[in-house]
Amino acid sequence: MTNLIFLGIVSDMHITIIGTGFVGVVSAAVFAKLGNTVTGLDIDENRIKALQKGKVPFYEPDLEKLLVTTQKKGNLSFTTSYEEAIPRADIIMIAVGTPSKKSGEADLRYLMSSIDSITPLFKEKVIIAIKSTVPPGTCDVVEGHIHSILKDKKIKLKKFSVVSLPEFLKEGTAVHDTLHPDRILIGASDPKVIATLKKLHAPLKAPAIVMSPKSAQMSKYTANAYLATRISFINQIADLCEKNGANITEVIKAIGADTRIGEHYWYPGLGYGGSCFPKDVKELASYAKEVGLRDNLLIPIDKLNDERISKLMTRFEERVGGWKKKKVAVLGLAFKPNTDDMREAASTKIVPRLIEEGAIVRAYDPMATESARTWFESAGIKEGDAFQIVSTVNRAVQDADIVCVVVEWDELRHLDLKKISKLLSKKAFFIDMRSQYARDKVESFGVSYIGIGV
Ligand code: UGA
């Protein structure tokens, strides 16, 4: 920050961000750090009270520190009041949730209700930037909705712009990703609006790519759909490797050396989870069906991912000789490392299946203990003899017949195999669901190794 001010490259706009989920809170803290006056707005009073005290209601590395420093400096505040936060905003960013409906289609109800609330209050020439992932064409729908509200409420027509400003941050590295983006994507057509948004992002020193709102929204879906497809693809190749004795890790090394392909974002495993890929692929697949493109690739990709864990669990079950009465240590409960987010986490499918099959489960996660407890309780899975969330790896693996490494947290990638093997029952299995361990090493401790794609 000091360096940015020194170089004279701060931006100083009034920004209100609606929605204090991952994207909202991280964007609020980062734009405040860049020198803007930012207000985070949410209708959830408890969440706002916590944020006002500098408490982030989820785990995200570096975020709390940034939140506290920017609040202390007076650049960041939180409120539940539209009346307070909207009239002063030069830019209103919308970062509310857009969950999928049962049909797969995006549910825009939270977006639309935030538009209802801001329309009577926003000032002339405000920029309304949609950060939430929404279908192409949503900016036009929002614009039409604003016009009809203004007309209904007999409010003098105000000038405003609705633009698309998609976000590409990843949970677990969200602050870093927002401060060091690969690109800034601006979906807008008015040159003045484009210039303002470029100025706002200038301190981040990332290339700004400008296009129509529809192309920007389609680009956001495409990026996620491509990455999800890449994961499904490598999982399919991993399955083939298992059939013929090839090793997926070696195959990835070979194909990754081709610069067109690259080595990153290829690790095979349980399929993709989290709050974005499953939802976004479903939405694009549902859109493809709606417009008559029933042979669109994303339709089978979505199905493959939905079925992946169940198929793998059947495969593992055969290898370990059934789950019934087996003590199983489940290591890793969040959907990925460095987060406590349980949305579409592999554990939410693995644990219920194990319990249903009669296993005795001891689960552990370095960070997601509380969020996992809440998730399992709300799914009707109570802790008791058959299922317990414990506070250390050692407790989870004590007397276990099977160890499942479900998430590649650092702690779980570097397990002390020698120590663990002594705690396990005789003839135990080690299921490496994220391909983090070498078979030889695990088996040198007298434990049978089961991997994916090896
Ligand atoms: C994803 C995208 O990576 C972000 O660019 C995007 O901004 C975000 O969605 C969003 O739309 O908001 P995120 O869901 O945080 O970010 O997580 P990722 O790290 O991309 O992982 C998604 C899932 O894919 C996880 O379940 C992960 O375990 C899985 N994955 C990832 C693999 O199975 N293999 C890989 O090689 C990489």
Side-chain angles (χ1 to χ4, degrees), residues 359-382:
I360 299 143
V361 179
R362 297 287 171 267
Y364 167 75
D365 189 282
M367 191 53 70
T369 311
E370 285 318 310
S371 53
R373 263 197 188 117
T374 308
W375 192 93
F376 286 113
E377 261 174 42
S378 67
I381 300 170
K382 294 213 166 61

Short mmCIF file of all heavy atoms in Angstrom, two decimals, residues 359-382:
data_model
loop_
_atom_site.label_atom_id
_atom_site.label_comp_id
_atom_site.label_asym_id
_atom_site.label_seq_id
_atom_site.Cartn_x
_atom_site.Cartn_y
_atom_site.Cartn_z
N ALA A 359 -19.71 -48.56 7.93
CA ALA A 359 -18.35 -48.29 8.42
C ALA A 359 -18.41 -47.43 9.70
O ALA A 359 -19.44 -46.82 10.00
CB ALA A 359 -17.56 -47.55 7.35
N ILE A 360 -17.30 -47.42 10.43
CA ILE A 360 -17.19 -46.54 11.61
C ILE A 360 -16.20 -45.45 11.22
O ILE A 360 -15.03 -45.74 10.96
CB ILE A 360 -16.69 -47.34 12.83
CG1 ILE A 360 -17.71 -48.46 13.14
CG2 ILE A 360 -16.47 -46.45 14.05
CD1 ILE A 360 -17.08 -49.73 13.58
N VAL A 361 -16.68 -44.23 11.17
CA VAL A 361 -15.89 -43.15 10.57
C VAL A 361 -15.32 -42.20 11.63
O VAL A 361 -16.05 -41.73 12.50
CB VAL A 361 -16.77 -42.34 9.57
CG1 VAL A 361 -15.97 -41.20 8.94
CG2 VAL A 361 -17.33 -43.25 8.48
N ARG A 362 -14.03 -41.94 11.52
CA ARG A 362 -13.39 -40.90 12.33
C ARG A 362 -12.83 -39.89 11.33
O ARG A 362 -11.94 -40.24 10.54
CB ARG A 362 -12.24 -41.47 13.19
CG ARG A 362 -12.69 -42.49 14.21
CD ARG A 362 -13.42 -41.84 15.38
NE ARG A 362 -14.03 -42.84 16.25
CZ ARG A 362 -15.28 -43.28 16.15
NH1 ARG A 362 -16.08 -42.82 15.20
NH2 ARG A 362 -15.76 -44.18 16.99
N ALA A 363 -13.37 -38.67 11.38
CA ALA A 363 -12.99 -37.69 10.35
C ALA A 363 -12.17 -36.57 10.97
O ALA A 363 -12.33 -36.21 12.13
CB ALA A 363 -14.25 -37.13 9.72
N TYR A 364 -11.28 -36.00 10.15
CA TYR A 364 -10.43 -34.91 10.63
C TYR A 364 -10.22 -33.90 9.50
O TYR A 364 -10.06 -34.29 8.32
CB TYR A 364 -9.06 -35.46 11.08
CG TYR A 364 -8.04 -34.36 11.28
CD1 TYR A 364 -8.09 -33.53 12.40
CD2 TYR A 364 -7.05 -34.13 10.31
CE1 TYR A 364 -7.17 -32.50 12.56
CE2 TYR A 364 -6.13 -33.09 10.47
CZ TYR A 364 -6.20 -32.29 11.61
OH TYR A 364 -5.30 -31.27 11.75
N ASP A 365 -10.22 -32.62 9.85
CA ASP A 365 -9.82 -31.57 8.90
C ASP A 365 -9.04 -30.52 9.68
O ASP A 365 -9.42 -30.17 10.81
CB ASP A 365 -11.05 -30.93 8.26
CG ASP A 365 -10.67 -30.01 7.11
OD1 ASP A 365 -10.22 -28.86 7.38
OD2 ASP A 365 -10.78 -30.41 5.94
N PRO A 366 -7.95 -30.00 9.12
CA PRO A 366 -7.15 -29.01 9.86
C PRO A 366 -7.92 -27.74 10.17
O PRO A 366 -7.59 -27.02 11.12
CB PRO A 366 -5.98 -28.70 8.90
CG PRO A 366 -5.92 -29.84 7.96
CD PRO A 366 -7.32 -30.38 7.84
N MET A 367 -8.95 -27.38 9.41
CA MET A 367 -9.61 -26.09 9.60
C MET A 367 -11.14 -26.19 9.62
O MET A 367 -11.80 -25.36 10.24
CB MET A 367 -9.18 -25.16 8.45
CG MET A 367 -9.55 -23.72 8.59
SD MET A 367 -9.02 -22.96 10.14
CE MET A 367 -7.24 -22.92 9.87
N ALA A 368 -11.70 -27.17 8.95
CA ALA A 368 -13.16 -27.16 8.72
C ALA A 368 -13.96 -27.93 9.77
O ALA A 368 -15.07 -28.37 9.48
CB ALA A 368 -13.45 -27.71 7.32
N THR A 369 -13.43 -28.06 10.99
CA THR A 369 -14.15 -28.84 12.00
C THR A 369 -15.56 -28.29 12.23
O THR A 369 -16.54 -29.04 12.15
CB THR A 369 -13.38 -28.81 13.35
OG1 THR A 369 -12.04 -29.14 13.06
CG2 THR A 369 -13.94 -29.78 14.35
N GLU A 370 -15.65 -26.98 12.48
CA GLU A 370 -16.96 -26.41 12.81
C GLU A 370 -17.91 -26.41 11.62
O GLU A 370 -19.07 -26.79 11.73
CB GLU A 370 -16.81 -24.98 13.36
CG GLU A 370 -16.29 -24.93 14.80
CD GLU A 370 -16.94 -25.99 15.70
OE1 GLU A 370 -18.18 -26.08 15.71
OE2 GLU A 370 -16.21 -26.73 16.39
N SER A 371 -17.38 -25.99 10.45
CA SER A 371 -18.27 -25.94 9.27
C SER A 371 -18.70 -27.35 8.89
O SER A 371 -19.83 -27.57 8.44
CB SER A 371 -17.59 -25.23 8.10
OG SER A 371 -16.34 -25.80 7.84
N ALA A 372 -17.82 -28.35 9.10
CA ALA A 372 -18.18 -29.73 8.77
C ALA A 372 -19.26 -30.21 9.74
O ALA A 372 -20.25 -30.81 9.33
CB ALA A 372 -16.96 -30.64 8.84
N ARG A 373 -19.09 -29.90 11.03
CA ARG A 373 -20.11 -30.29 12.02
C ARG A 373 -21.47 -29.73 11.61
O ARG A 373 -22.46 -30.44 11.60
CB ARG A 373 -19.74 -29.70 13.38
CG ARG A 373 -19.05 -30.68 14.19
CD ARG A 373 -18.95 -30.46 15.67
NE ARG A 373 -18.06 -31.51 16.09
CZ ARG A 373 -16.87 -31.33 16.64
NH1 ARG A 373 -16.45 -30.11 16.90
NH2 ARG A 373 -16.12 -32.36 16.95
N THR A 374 -21.46 -28.44 11.27
CA THR A 374 -22.72 -27.79 10.88
C THR A 374 -23.30 -28.48 9.65
O THR A 374 -24.49 -28.77 9.58
CB THR A 374 -22.46 -26.29 10.56
OG1 THR A 374 -21.76 -25.74 11.66
CG2 THR A 374 -23.72 -25.53 10.29
N TRP A 375 -22.42 -28.76 8.67
CA TRP A 375 -22.93 -29.38 7.43
C TRP A 375 -23.54 -30.75 7.70
O TRP A 375 -24.67 -31.04 7.28
CB TRP A 375 -21.80 -29.51 6.38
CG TRP A 375 -22.38 -29.85 5.04
CD1 TRP A 375 -22.73 -28.97 4.05
CD2 TRP A 375 -22.76 -31.16 4.57
NE1 TRP A 375 -23.29 -29.64 3.01
CE2 TRP A 375 -23.33 -30.98 3.29
CE3 TRP A 375 -22.69 -32.44 5.09
CZ2 TRP A 375 -23.82 -32.03 2.52
CZ3 TRP A 375 -23.18 -33.50 4.35
CH2 TRP A 375 -23.73 -33.31 3.07
N PHE A 376 -22.79 -31.60 8.43
CA PHE A 376 -23.27 -32.97 8.65
C PHE A 376 -24.54 -32.96 9.52
O PHE A 376 -25.47 -33.72 9.25
CB PHE A 376 -22.17 -33.85 9.26
CG PHE A 376 -21.12 -34.21 8.23
CD1 PHE A 376 -19.82 -33.74 8.32
CD2 PHE A 376 -21.46 -35.01 7.15
CE1 PHE A 376 -18.87 -34.05 7.36
CE2 PHE A 376 -20.51 -35.34 6.17
CZ PHE A 376 -19.21 -34.85 6.28
N GLU A 377 -24.57 -32.08 10.51
CA GLU A 377 -25.78 -32.01 11.35
C GLU A 377 -26.99 -31.62 10.52
O GLU A 377 -28.05 -32.22 10.63
CB GLU A 377 -25.57 -30.98 12.46
CG GLU A 377 -25.18 -31.67 13.78
CD GLU A 377 -24.84 -30.65 14.85
OE1 GLU A 377 -25.55 -29.63 14.94
OE2 GLU A 377 -23.84 -30.89 15.53
N SER A 378 -26.79 -30.61 9.64
CA SER A 378 -27.95 -30.18 8.85
C SER A 378 -28.34 -31.24 7.81
O SER A 378 -29.46 -31.24 7.32
CB SER A 378 -27.71 -28.82 8.19
OG SER A 378 -26.70 -28.97 7.23
N ALA A 379 -27.43 -32.16 7.52
CA ALA A 379 -27.77 -33.26 6.60
C ALA A 379 -28.33 -34.45 7.37
O ALA A 379 -28.52 -35.53 6.81
CB ALA A 379 -26.54 -33.67 5.80
N GLY A 380 -28.54 -34.26 8.69
CA GLY A 380 -29.12 -35.32 9.51
C GLY A 380 -28.10 -36.36 9.95
O GLY A 380 -28.46 -37.44 10.42
N ILE A 381 -26.81 -36.06 9.82
CA ILE A 381 -25.78 -37.01 10.24
C ILE A 381 -25.21 -36.55 11.59
O ILE A 381 -24.46 -35.57 11.66
CB ILE A 381 -24.67 -37.13 9.17
CG1 ILE A 381 -25.30 -37.62 7.87
CG2 ILE A 381 -23.54 -38.06 9.63
CD1 ILE A 381 -24.39 -37.57 6.67
N LYS A 382 -25.62 -37.25 12.63
CA LYS A 382 -25.21 -36.82 13.98
C LYS A 382 -23.94 -37.54 14.39
O LYS A 382 -23.70 -38.68 13.99
CB LYS A 382 -26.32 -37.16 14.97
CG LYS A 382 -27.58 -36.35 14.71
CD LYS A 382 -28.30 -36.03 16.02
CE LYS A 382 -29.33 -34.97 15.84
NZ LYS A 382 -30.39 -35.32 14.90
#
